[in-house]
Amino acid sequence: MLASSKQVRTTTCACSTQTQQRSRLYGGVTGKYARSSGKSAFAGVALNTTASNGSMRHRMAQWLENRASIDVPVPLETCWVLWEDRERIPQWMPWIKSVKVQPNDTRMSKWTLSTTQFGRDWEFSWLARNLQPIKNQKIHWVSEPGSTSLPGIEVANRGQIRFVRKGPKACNVTLTISYEVPNALVPFANALTPVVEGILSQDMQRFKSYAEVYTAGNNAKAVPSAGASASPSAAAAPKK
């Protein structure tokens, strides 16, 4: 038995309505569900869909930034040298237990974090890869996927140091730390931002003190003592 034209029109409208609803559901603002290079755009939020072990995962997340800046009465080149030596970083960032440059690839370094939070001790490590620096302007790095020592937990993070010259013997140094947080934890992470930036500000104060002591020590080595400067003259004086 053939369907009437009215039934056909009704069925077509119902299908069209369902298609529009799916489009709104899966496309959000963009109006469509798109996949490219292992990542999907869902309601305007980037989703990682491929884990390091090849399994599929859908995790809505955002990158959050924390920043601290300080003026340092030390030549920019000196500050650059100190930050470029990654293994020195725990000297002014005590919550970073160690940074070990990997001998087989000096672009890679193993970072170990150690802290006490929420009534318990936390320690874990990850590998970071140094990106191409801009000499005397920017040093930056990014964590390697799948390198976190905590089983089943991926702590994606990245960091950068920017240097701005303020004079021949002064500069500004800005540290930015970014990390990926699941959307469900974003409100909690945002509430912790003042605490994290307070910690980073203390780190930068320690860096300033470290750089000042380092520079003073180098200057002292470069200037000969009064006794040392008198020795050549005494040696050159004629004997009586």
Side-chain angles (χ1 to χ4, degrees), residues 37-93:
S37 303
K39 291 191 175 182
S40 301
F42 179 82
V45 179
L47 299 181
N48 290 323
T49 58
T50 306
S52 58
N53 62 3
S55 63
M56 297 296 290
R57 69 179 181 185
H58 293 272
R59 181 165 58 88
M60 300 178 67
Q62 296 182 27
W63 282 88
L64 298 183
E65 286 190 352
N66 293 287
R67 182 180 290 111
S69 184
I70 195 167
D71 290 333
V72 185
V74 166
L76 184 150
E77 289 77 9
T78 300
C79 292
W80 172 272
V81 167
L82 293 176
W83 278 101
E84 191 178 37
D85 184 357
R86 285 163 284 170
E87 295 191 349
R88 287 183 186 266
I89 291 176
Q91 298 290 328
W92 54 84
M93 298 179 73

Side-chain angles (χ1 to χ4, degrees), residues 208-229:
K208 176 184 175 182
S209 299
Y210 185 96
E212 288 174 328
V213 172
Y214 176 88
T215 302
N218 282 350
N219 289 342
K221 292 177 182 178
V223 178
S225 64
S229 61

Side-chain angles (χ1 to χ4, degrees), residues 163-175:
F163 305 83
V164 177
R165 194 182 303 278
K166 294 291 186 178
K169 294 184 179 181
C171 66
N172 176 269
V173 182
T174 299
L175 166 65

Side-chain angles (χ1 to χ4, degrees), residues 84-135:
E84 191 178 37
D85 184 357
R86 285 163 284 170
E87 295 191 349
R88 287 183 186 266
I89 291 176
Q91 298 290 328
W92 54 84
M93 298 179 73
W95 53 280
I96 299 295
K97 184 178 180 179
S98 65
V99 179
K100 299 295 183 183
V101 175
Q102 303 301 285
N104 58 329
D105 185 350
T106 56
R107 296 173 304 172
M108 305 293 294
S109 54
K110 181 179 180 180
W111 294 57
T112 300
L113 179 150
S114 181
T115 185
T116 300
Q117 299 293 337
F118 310 112
R120 61 167 292 182
D121 295 329
W122 298 82
E123 181 169 311
F124 62 94
S125 59
W126 67 92
L127 287 176
R129 175 169 48 89
N130 262 28
L131 304 177
Q132 183 63 38
I134 302 175
K135 183 70 174 179

Side-chain angles (χ1 to χ4, degrees), residues 11-34 41-44:
T11 303
T12 301
C13 291
C15 291
S16 177
T17 300
Q18 292 175 356
T19 300
Q20 292 174 359
Q21 289 174 342
R22 291 193 187 100
S23 177
R24 287 195 296 269
L25 175 62
Y26 293 110
V29 176
T30 61
K32 63 181 179 180
Y33 179 83
F42 179 82

